[in-house]
Amino acid sequence: MADTKVYRASTTAPVNIAVVKYWGKRDAKLNLPTNSSLSVTLSQADLRTLTTASCSTAFQEDVLLLNGEPSDLGGARTQACLRELRDRRAALESKDASLPKLAAMRLLLVSENNFPTAAGLASSAAGFAALVRAIADLYELPSSPTELSLIARQGSGSACRSLFGGYVAWQMGSQADGLDSQAVEVAPASHWPEMRALILVASAAKKGVSSTSGMQQTVATSGLFQQRIADVVPRNMKSMEDAVAARDFAAFAEVTMRDSNSFHATCADTYPPIFYMNDISRAAVRAVEAINAAAGKTVAAYTFDAGPNAVVYYLEENKDLILGAFYPLLEKLDGWKDGAKGLKSNVQFDEAVSSTITSGVSRVIMTGVGEGPQKTDVYLVSEDGKPVSTSA
Amino acid sequence: MADTKVYRASTTAPVNIAVVKYWGKRDAKLNLPTNSSLSVTLSQADLRTLTTASCSTAFQEDVLLLNGEPSDLGGARTQACLRELRDRRAALESKDASLPKLAAMRLLLVSENNFPTAAGLASSAAGFAALVRAIADLYELPSSPTELSLIARQGSGSACRSLFGGYVAWQMGSQADGLDSQAVEVAPASHWPEMRALILVASAAKKGVSSTSGMQQTVATSGLFQQRIADVVPRNMKSMEDAVAARDFAAFAEVTMRDSNSFHATCADTYPPIFYMNDISRAAVRAVEAINAAAGKTVAAYTFDAGPNAVVYYLEENKDLILGAFYPLLEKLDGWKDGAKGLKSNVQFDEAVSSTITSGVSRVIMTGVGEGPQKTDVYLVSEDGKPVSTSA
């Protein structure tokens, strides 16, 4: 009878939160951006996707299970990723007849997040990074993370940055084929391991506008967008790379806040306008400004993606100033870790800021800079090819 | 004994709401703007300042009473206005010895608004326009409204537009002395008298950042501002002048909404960011979009000044679509006029939009395009030089 062995590989991949934002495509099919971006990879102890890629002659079709639910693999972007990975495996197989013919087998892909999707965190980046990394491991591709970033980018732009840990740049590139639009490591997590992030999850309704359609509306209609991509972002990229190299938090923080402001400004300048930040987000901005004012120096930086959640970056040495300011307002919420309670801060928020944050934030996530994708022997597919759940 | 006759002149002046916004000074002392702007003058039946300018040898000092309260006349801007007006009067007196020597007399200026200052409407524009017009009338200056706009501009930039009715442009000019930074009539109210405005007054806390300091922070820190003043506004001015000339409401509305978005985008791009719009403002944006979607054409336009209040422009012929949509949400509020009740609209707002507007709007003002300053024989100073109040 035929070989029905089930080949498996498992990996985890991290979430990344940009400090210089990706917003706008110059090529929607290849996911080529209008500008470079830079992000901090967050710790997988707090936020990660675990994906097992498996294949077998016994499988009848490609299947993806996401958090236990069947998920569509038919999308052009996902198909582009699978095609590229299979092509690379097929090339290896054609050079070495002894290799099992995995490229021709159907795939069973099972993926789970360790964080609520409802939190509105960019899970697609971690998801596509884990998908590409797991299949690349299954196929034993010699590809480097930067080479794989070219594939992951086609699935979800920001996913290319989740193939690295630490501080990661997505170089926009200039080629029409996108072969130079890739992620590179600016610095490993070990270069600046003290970076922390407190995420304030705003209890917001579902996102009004998807980022995919939103960013193209901005490209098409914002009168201010050209200055962002031609002038503002290139300056921010340079300043941010310098700040990370020098471990200069004040510089890191100012660029982070300015770039988030610039990104949301171009969203508000879109026609019709796109609003991702709400009054809760704006209260978080004022809170961070109050924390820095009370500290007499810049110890915290806010940034907002395509949603109302605030991500507040700070350094471990200043945790009392940041956690000590927010904990008293939000002590009832899930997500605090040991050590957050009892920290002292001298900041006094305006009553409007305090009440908006207390009533509007639904959970917190305490995390920090972390590593890139990790191979693991925790499998979401059994040896006989059945999906299994770690959370079950 | 000396002649202690009290000389008096009274005028009313209107509020104007810009559809292409003034934001940024290239010369703070002379109030010279970084870009031209264009506004609609609103009816004085609903929003106006009444000012009586009087002078007499019996007066010991210059005095300004604003809504019954003594108000500071010592500010550099106010002093610049008074100096210029007195200089012009003195020049007349020097040419005609028969003229009473008013330029040397102290002034008693009494001013009242017919709308709550608390409403957060730009009352300084109407206030300075009335002040300058009333003193010019008292002094019997032959100056045209455009000539007086050069003086009013130095008091409060947007005040120069309140010296005209209808549709008014403030040409930024290019001279260092500001003598070409003046207001001109784009079209009289009679050219397009059907223009209406529904103002949704948001029950917001006091403005966080004054427009005077805010706009200079934007000039100094926004990376996107240069594109607004160099590219966006010049295009919007041309499009708006064409739309008014053609009485093309759809074009008028799109430029109005785009320019408001662009202005608030540069505020959000200021460092630290300036937020004038809040969740109530954003709900009003979504409401206007829903009204236009339900109508199948553009029948309403939102615009926001340096505060959360929404000004919704529409044409009388479409009042049922606009008033009929908002009245059911806000019928308990002050400000509705006869005819608003019972109008029918087929629009259905999202529950979030409806509840935010219902809970967040504190009053409405129904008005429309109107005339410029009007001479009146209603005096706020008695013949014997005592302040009197119309509201008393």
Side-chain angles (χ1 to χ4, degrees):
Chain A
M1 64 180 281
D3 165 25
T4 59
K5 175 180 178 191
V6 175
Y7 298 84
R8 304 180 302 172
S10 271
T11 190
T12 61
V15 167
N16 72 79
I17 298 291
V19 289
V20 176
K21 303 295 190 185
Y22 159 50
W23 194 253
K25 306 176 196 286
R26 68 177 194 274
D27 182 320
K29 182 169 172 300
L30 292 174
N31 259 1
L32 302 180
T34 52
N35 56 271
S36 297
S37 54
L38 197 150
S39 58
V40 178
T41 295
L42 299 183
S43 170
Q44 297 182 60
D46 307 301
L47 302 166
R48 62 112 182 99
T49 298
L50 166 64
T51 296
T52 297
S54 66
C55 60
S56 167
T57 56
F59 296 161
Q60 301 306 306
E61 56 179 348
D62 292 335
V63 172
L64 169 63
L65 298 178
L66 196 55
N67 295 321
E69 298 297 320
S71 180
D72 178 33
L73 274 174
R77 293 177 173 177
T78 313
Q79 285 298 311
C81 292
L82 297 184
R83 193 181 316 112
E84 284 220 29
L85 290 159
R86 280 186 161 124
D87 289 349
R88 292 178 188 223
R89 171 66 188 186
L92 294 180
E93 293 170 3
S94 67
K95 291 201 206 75
D96 180 351
S98 71
L99 293 175
K101 300 292 182 287
L102 305 188
M105 300 178 189
R106 300 301 90 194
L107 290 158
L108 171 60
L109 308 163
V110 184
S111 191
E112 286 183 357
N113 297 330
N114 67 342
F115 56 92
T117 315
L121 295 160
S123 53
S124 65
F128 268 103
L131 186 77
V132 169
R133 180 78 258 182
I135 297 173
D137 291 347
L138 173 69
Y139 288 169
E140 296 179 322
L141 303 182
S143 309
S144 68
T146 288
E147 291 172 307
L148 293 180
S149 77
L150 292 164
I151 301 174
R153 183 206 77 223
Q154 298 175 59
S156 171
S158 55
C160 71
R161 295 187 312 241
S162 278
L163 287 162
F164 290 90
Y167 304 83
V168 187
W170 175 9
Q171 301 166 332
M172 66 177 289
S174 57
Q175 294 176 211
D177 60 13
L179 292 180
D180 59 348
S181 185
Q182 61 193 15
V184 298
E185 180 186 85
V186 171
S190 58
H191 168 74
W192 203 4
E194 302 82 7
M195 185 66 67
R196 301 288 176 267
L198 175 67
I199 305 176
L200 306 176
V201 179
S203 48
K206 76 235 165 293
K207 199 188 300 180
V209 179
S210 84
S211 20
T212 301
S213 64
M215 64 174 69
Q216 291 317 84
Q217 293 169 32
T218 302
V219 173
T221 66
S222 169
L224 304 175
F225 184 69
Q226 283 306 315
Q227 183 152 4
R228 169 166 169 80
I229 65 175
D231 175 43
V232 174
V233 170
R235 279 190 285 108
N236 287 348
M237 285 296 291
K238 176 67 170 65
S239 304
M240 183 58 75
E241 286 165 3
D242 294 346
V244 170
R247 292 188 283 266
D248 179 343
F249 185 83
F252 169 92
E254 179 167 344
V255 177
T256 295
M257 293 186 280
R258 283 179 177 272
D259 195 79
S260 179
N261 295 342
S262 170
F263 155 51
H264 289 282
T266 63
C267 290
D269 186 50
T270 303
Y271 188 76
I274 299 169
F275 303 122
Y276 289 126
M277 293 171 67
N278 59 21
D279 284 351
I280 303 164
S281 315
R282 271 176 296 285
V285 168
R286 298 307 176 213
V288 166
E289 291 170 350
I291 288 169
N292 289 333
K297 59 180 181 175
T298 306
V299 296
Y302 56 78
T303 187
F304 301 83
D305 279 351
N309 297 344
V311 176
V312 180
Y313 283 113
Y314 63 98
L315 295 178
E316 173 68 15
E317 65 193 62
N318 295 317
K319 65 180 178 185
D320 55 331
L321 300 176
I322 288 78
L323 301 179
F326 286 109
Y327 182 83
L329 303 180
L330 303 170
E331 54 187 325
K332 293 191 177 60
L333 298 183
D334 294 337
W336 295 109
K337 293 181 179 178
D338 297 346
K341 187 175 184 178
L343 290 175
K344 292 261 175 299
S345 158
N346 63 339
V347 68
Q348 288 294 332
F349 294 135
D350 290 349
E351 165 53 27
V353 168
S354 300
S355 58
T356 302
I357 289 174
T358 298
S359 61
V361 175
S362 58
R363 65 173 283 148
V364 302
I365 297 169
M366 284 175 63
T367 185
V369 63
E371 304 298 333
Q374 305 289 321
K375 208 173 193 336
T376 171
D377 55 8
V378 177
Y379 293 101
L380 298 176
V381 176
S382 64
E383 291 183 1
D384 61 349
K386 299 283 179 291
V388 294
S389 172
T390 53
S391 52
Chain B
M1 61 180 277
D3 165 25
T4 58
K5 174 179 179 193
V6 176
Y7 298 85
R8 303 181 301 169
S10 272
T11 190
T12 62
V15 166
N16 71 78
I17 299 291
V19 289
V20 176
K21 304 294 190 186
Y22 159 50
W23 193 252
K25 306 175 195 290
R26 68 177 193 276
D27 182 320
K29 181 169 172 300
L30 292 174
N31 259 358
L32 303 180
T34 53
N35 56 269
S36 297
S37 53
L38 198 151
S39 58
V40 177
T41 295
L42 299 184
S43 171
Q44 298 181 61
D46 307 301
L47 301 166
R48 62 110 183 101
T49 297
L50 167 64
T51 297
T52 298
S54 64
C55 60
S56 166
T57 54
F59 296 162
Q60 300 307 307
E61 57 178 346
D62 291 337
V63 172
L64 169 62
L65 298 178
L66 198 54
N67 295 320
E69 298 298 320
S71 181
D72 178 32
L73 274 173
R77 293 178 173 175
T78 312
Q79 284 299 310
C81 291
L82 297 184
R83 192 180 318 111
E84 284 220 28
L85 291 160
R86 280 186 160 123
D87 289 349
R88 293 180 185 220
R89 171 65 187 186
L92 295 181
E93 294 169 3
S94 67
K95 291 202 207 75
D96 180 350
S98 70
L99 292 176
K101 301 292 182 289
L102 305 187
M105 300 177 188
R106 300 301 90 194
L107 289 158
L108 170 60
L109 308 163
V110 184
S111 193
E112 285 184 357
N113 296 330
N114 67 343
F115 56 92
T117 313
L121 295 159
S123 54
S124 66
F128 269 103
L131 186 77
V132 169
R133 181 77 260 179
I135 297 174
D137 291 346
L138 173 69
Y139 289 168
E140 296 180 323
L141 303 181
S143 310
S144 70
T146 288
E147 291 172 305
L148 293 180
S149 76
L150 293 164
I151 301 174
R153 184 206 76 224
Q154 298 174 59
S156 171
S158 55
C160 71
R161 297 187 312 242
S162 278
L163 287 162
F164 290 91
Y167 304 83
V168 187
W170 174 10
Q171 300 166 333
M172 65 178 289
S174 56
Q175 295 175 211
D177 60 12
L179 292 181
D180 59 348
S181 186
Q182 61 192 14
V184 298
E185 180 186 85
V186 172
S190 58
H191 167 74
W192 203 2
E194 303 81 7
M195 186 65 68
R196 299 289 176 268
L198 174 67
I199 305 176
L200 305 176
V201 179
S203 48
K206 72 234 167 295
K207 199 188 296 180
V209 178
S210 84
S211 16
T212 300
S213 64
M215 64 174 68
Q216 291 316 86
Q217 294 169 30
T218 301
V219 172
T221 66
S222 168
L224 303 175
F225 184 68
Q226 283 306 316
Q227 183 152 4
R228 169 166 169 78
I229 65 175
D231 176 43
V232 174
V233 170
R235 278 191 284 108
N236 286 350
M237 285 296 292
K238 176 69 169 66
S239 305
M240 183 57 76
E241 286 165 3
D242 294 346
V244 170
R247 292 188 283 264
D248 179 344
F249 185 83
F252 169 92
E254 179 167 343
V255 177
T256 296
M257 294 186 281
R258 283 180 177 271
D259 195 79
S260 179
N261 295 342
S262 170
F263 155 49
H264 289 281
T266 61
C267 291
D269 186 49
T270 303
Y271 187 76
I274 299 169
F275 303 122
Y276 289 125
M277 293 172 67
N278 60 21
D279 284 351
I280 304 165
S281 314
R282 273 177 295 285
V285 168
R286 297 309 175 211
V288 166
E289 291 170 350
I291 287 168
N292 289 333
K297 59 181 180 176
T298 306
V299 296
Y302 56 78
T303 188
F304 300 84
D305 279 350
N309 297 344
V311 176
V312 180
Y313 284 113
Y314 62 98
L315 295 178
E316 172 69 13
E317 65 193 62
N318 295 317
K319 65 181 178 185
D320 54 332
L321 300 176
I322 288 79
L323 301 179
F326 285 109
Y327 182 83
L329 304 180
L330 303 170
E331 55 186 325
K332 292 190 178 59
L333 298 184
D334 294 337
W336 294 108
K337 294 180 178 178
D338 296 346
K341 185 175 184 178
L343 291 175
K344 291 261 177 299
S345 158
N346 62 340
V347 69
Q348 287 295 330
F349 294 134
D350 291 349
E351 166 52 26
V353 168
S354 299
S355 58
T356 302
I357 289 174
T358 299
S359 61
V361 175
S362 57
R363 64 174 284 147
V364 302
I365 298 168
M366 284 175 63
T367 185
V369 64
E371 304 298 334
Q374 305 289 321
K375 208 173 194 336
T376 171
D377 56 7
V378 178
Y379 293 100
L380 298 177
V381 175
S382 65
E383 290 183 0
D384 60 350
K386 300 283 178 292
V388 293
S389 172
T390 54
S391 51

